Short mmCIF file of all heavy atoms in Angstrom, two decimals:
data_model
loop_
_atom_site.label_atom_id
_atom_site.label_comp_id
_atom_site.label_asym_id
_atom_site.label_seq_id
_atom_site.Cartn_x
_atom_site.Cartn_y
_atom_site.Cartn_z
N PRO T 11 13.72 86.66 -108.55
CA PRO T 11 13.00 87.67 -109.29
C PRO T 11 11.85 88.30 -108.53
O PRO T 11 11.52 89.45 -108.74
CB PRO T 11 12.51 86.94 -110.53
CG PRO T 11 12.40 85.51 -110.10
CD PRO T 11 13.46 85.32 -109.09
N ALA T 23 17.90 75.97 -101.16
CA ALA T 23 18.96 76.28 -100.20
C ALA T 23 19.14 75.16 -99.20
O ALA T 23 20.25 74.81 -98.80
CB ALA T 23 18.64 77.60 -99.51
N SER T 271 83.81 -17.00 -141.54
CA SER T 271 84.19 -15.65 -141.14
C SER T 271 84.18 -15.53 -139.62
O SER T 271 83.60 -16.37 -138.92
CB SER T 271 83.26 -14.60 -141.75
OG SER T 271 81.96 -14.75 -141.20
N ALA T 313 93.07 -12.62 -152.96
CA ALA T 313 94.46 -12.21 -153.14
C ALA T 313 95.07 -12.89 -154.35
O ALA T 313 94.61 -13.93 -154.81
CB ALA T 313 95.27 -12.55 -151.89
#
Side-chain angles (χ1 to χ4, degrees):
S271 67

